[in-house]
Amino acid sequence: MKLLRIKAQGLPLFKQELDIIFYAQQRVCEDDKEQLHKLTPTIYLNPANAFIGINASGKTSVLKVIQLALSIVSNKPINHVDEKIILGSTKHAVFYIYFCDKNSKICYLETEITSKKTKTGEYKYTITQERLWEKSATGTKKTLTDFGNIAPASERDDNEMFLPDDVSFIIARNKKLNDDLEFVSLLSYTNVNILPFSDDIPLEIISFLDPTVEQLYFEQQEKRNHLHLKFRGEKEIVLNNPQDLENYLSSGTIKGIITFSMVKEVLQSGGYLLIDEIENHFNKEIVTTLMRFFMDSKLNKNGGTLIFTTHYPELLDEYDRNDSINVVRNRNGITVDNMSNILKRNDIKKSDAYQSGYLEGTTPAYEAYMQLKKSLAASID
C-alpha cells in the first residue's frame, strides 16, 4: 500500500482544510526518475518529503496528522495511538485518505470522527461514518484522485458488531488482500536519545557515525539486557542501563544508530519513516546522506518514504524539484503549502527564496526582531 494524498477537515489547530500530496505534481523528466519512485507508467512518488517552517509554525502538528492517517489505514485503534491528540476537542473531523493498494487500484477512504469528553477530562473518539471508493490506476496525475463520477465500493455498516468504533472498516479489506502499510515514527525520539534493545546493530552504521567504535551490541542474561561497547584499542565496557551510553557516545551517534537502523528497515519494507526536526544532533552531511538514500531509486527499490520536518533551509537545496517540499506557516492557524504552488521555477535556489522572505511567513517578523533587540540593549545598559 502506498500513500498518495491526505486531506483533513475539522482539526482545531488548522486554519483551513489540510491537503498534503505525496506524488510528483510537476512534470517528470528523464533525470528526475532517478530520484523518484515509479508507481504507474505516468505516476511517480516523492520518496523524501520535507516540511519546513520557523519555530512554532506547526510542523510537529502536521506530522501528527500524517501519522494518524497512517494509523487509520493500518488498522490501529484511534484511541490507542498517541497522535490522537491532534484531534483535540473536535466535534467533527473528516480524513480523506488516497492510496494505491497492492493490486494497483487507486482507493479513496473517507473517515468521519467525532469526540466525546469522558469523566476523567480526556476525549474518546468514534468513527461515525466511512466510505471507500476504488478505481483502476489509469489516467494522469490530474485525474489520479478524482472520484467525482464513481459510486462508493463499500460503506461502514453499523451492524458490524465485532468492529471497534475507533478502528477503520478498511481492516477487513486489508486482511482479505493481505495488504498493509508499514510505518515507523521517531517523533518520540526528537528530544530523547536512548538506544532501544536490538538483536542487531549493524557495524556499518556504527562505523559511519563513529569510526572509533569497534563493537556495540546487546546481550540478554538472566532476563536482563546488557550493552557491550568497545572502542578500538580499549577494553570492553558493559552497561546495564542503555541511558548510560550517553556518557560514552555523542547524542548524534546514538540518534544516528536509531535512525539509520530504522532506515534499513523501511527501505526493505517499502514503508514510511517519520522524523521530527531531522537536524537535531546531526551535522548537515549526515542529514543529506539520509535524504539521498531515499532519493536513490537504485537503492530504494521498494519505494520507502521519508517524511521529515526541519528548520534548516540549506537542506532544501538537496532537491532538484519543488514538489517534495512543503512550507508550514502559522498565522492564526496552521497552513501547509506545497512549494511547487508558490515557487514555479526549479532553477531558483530554494534556501535563498526561503530565507529572503520571498515566500512570506518563513522568517521571524522584523517587528519582533527589533523588539527583542531593544529589550536586550536596555538590559545591557
Side-chain angles (χ1 to χ4, degrees):
M1 186 185 296
K2 295 295 183 185
L3 199 61
L4 300 173
R5 185 177 190 176
I6 297 171
K7 294 198 294 182
Q9 293 178 343
L11 301 179
L13 295 178
F14 290 79
K15 188 175 183 178
Q16 56 199 35
E17 179 184 73
L18 179 65
D19 189 358
I20 301 171
I21 296 175
F22 297 99
Y23 56 86
Q25 300 168 66
Q26 295 176 297
R27 179 176 175 272
V28 177
C29 63
E30 201 61 34
D31 290 340
D32 292 334
K33 295 177 182 179
E34 296 179 1
Q35 297 183 351
L36 301 174
H37 176 68
K38 186 177 181 180
L39 186 66
T40 73
T42 58
I43 305 299
Y44 290 80
L45 300 179
N46 288 315
N49 298 268
F51 291 82
I52 186 167
I54 60 175
N55 288 337
S57 59
K59 299 184 298 299
T60 303
S61 296
V62 173
L63 275 193
K64 288 178 180 177
V65 174
I66 296 172
Q67 188 171 333
L68 182 56
L70 291 169
S71 296
I72 290 172
V73 295
S74 56
N75 315 323
K76 292 179 171 53
I78 293 175
N79 289 301
H80 293 176
V81 295
D82 293 337
E83 55 273 20
K84 67 182 179 182
I85 192 173
I86 200 65
L87 292 168
S89 59
T90 182
K91 294 181 180 179
H92 181 246
V94 187
F95 277 74
Y96 309 93
I97 306 171
Y98 303 80
F99 61 92
C100 182
D101 70 10
K102 66 179 297 184
N103 295 329
S104 297
K105 279 192 175 181
I106 306 300
C107 304
Y108 163 40
L109 176 68
E110 181 182 285
T111 303
E112 298 187 23
I113 303 169
T114 59
S115 69
K116 183 179 181 180
K117 200 170 187 177
T118 64
K119 294 180 179 179
T120 61
E122 297 179 345
Y123 285 95
K124 182 179 183 295
Y125 301 101
T126 301
I127 297 176
T128 54
Q129 186 175 350
E130 277 190 298
R131 294 183 293 176
L132 178 71
W133 288 259
E134 301 175 0
K135 67 178 183 179
S136 59
T138 56
T140 65
K141 57 191 174 187
K142 289 184 178 180
T143 60
L144 182 65
T145 58
D146 183 4
F147 287 80
N149 298 318
I150 301 175
S154 55
E155 296 190 41
R156 192 180 184 94
D157 188 348
D158 292 335
N159 296 322
E160 295 176 282
M161 56 185 298
F162 297 109
L163 179 64
D165 62 8
D166 64 340
V167 175
S168 172
F169 82 139
I170 202 174
I171 185 173
R173 186 180 190 277
N174 290 346
K175 287 183 177 180
K176 181 179 179 181
L177 296 179
N178 192 26
D179 198 6
D180 60 1
L181 185 152
E182 296 184 20
F183 71 93
V184 177
S185 173
L186 295 182
L187 266 69
S188 61
Y189 286 92
T190 303
N191 299 308
V192 178
N193 282 312
I194 300 177
L195 196 65
F197 178 82
S198 174
D199 294 329
D200 177 33
I201 304 175
L203 187 60
E204 295 82 2
I205 293 176
I206 301 169
S207 299
F208 171 70
L209 297 164
D210 188 344
T212 67
V213 177
E214 185 177 329
Q215 279 188 327
L216 180 64
Y217 65 94
F218 281 95
E219 182 184 36
Q220 192 171 53
Q221 292 180 347
E222 299 178 356
K223 297 182 180 181
R224 294 191 63 183
N225 297 326
H226 301 280
L227 186 60
H228 295 257
L229 171 65
K230 186 179 184 304
F231 293 96
R232 298 188 186 281
E234 303 288 340
K235 291 184 178 179
E236 184 179 79
I237 302 167
V238 181
L239 305 173
N240 297 321
N241 186 352
Q243 197 165 357
D244 294 337
L245 193 61
E246 288 188 322
N247 298 325
Y248 300 93
L249 298 180
S250 72
S251 296
T253 298
I254 298 172
K255 181 183 178 181
I257 293 171
I258 298 169
T259 303
F260 281 94
S261 295
M262 294 300 100
V263 168
K264 179 181 178 182
E265 180 180 318
V266 169
L267 291 178
Q268 288 175 338
S269 67
Y272 291 78
L273 177 61
L274 279 66
I275 306 177
D276 195 18
E277 297 184 13
I278 196 171
E279 67 275 3
N280 268 14
H281 304 299
F282 286 159
N283 62 42
K284 182 184 175 184
E285 187 55 37
I286 290 178
V287 176
T288 54
T289 296
L290 178 58
M291 295 168 61
R292 289 167 189 165
F293 281 169
F294 281 88
M295 295 164 69
D296 183 344
S297 60
K298 294 180 180 178
L299 175 65
N300 189 8
K301 298 178 182 179
N302 298 318
T305 302
L306 173 66
I307 302 172
F308 68 92
T309 68
T310 183
H311 299 97
Y312 287 9
E314 301 85 34
L315 297 179
L316 305 185
D317 295 330
E318 287 296 311
Y319 291 99
D320 294 329
R321 303 169 57 84
N322 293 335
D323 56 5
S324 297
I325 303 167
N326 299 274
V327 180
V328 184
R329 291 171 280 204
N330 193 343
R331 295 174 288 193
N332 299 318
I334 301 169
T335 61
V336 178
D337 296 291
N338 191 271
M339 188 174 274
S340 66
N341 295 325
I342 52 181
L343 187 64
K344 298 299 182 181
R345 292 172 55 184
N346 285 332
D347 58 342
I348 296 176
K349 193 175 182 182
K350 297 167 182 59
S351 60
D352 287 347
Y354 184 88
Q355 289 176 301
S356 66
Y358 173 77
L359 304 181
E360 297 183 5
T362 59
T363 56
Y366 180 74
E367 293 81 5
Y369 159 75
M370 288 305 298
Q371 289 175 3
L372 176 59
K373 184 176 180 180
K374 289 177 181 178
S375 175
L376 290 173
S379 65
I380 293 170
D381 291 341

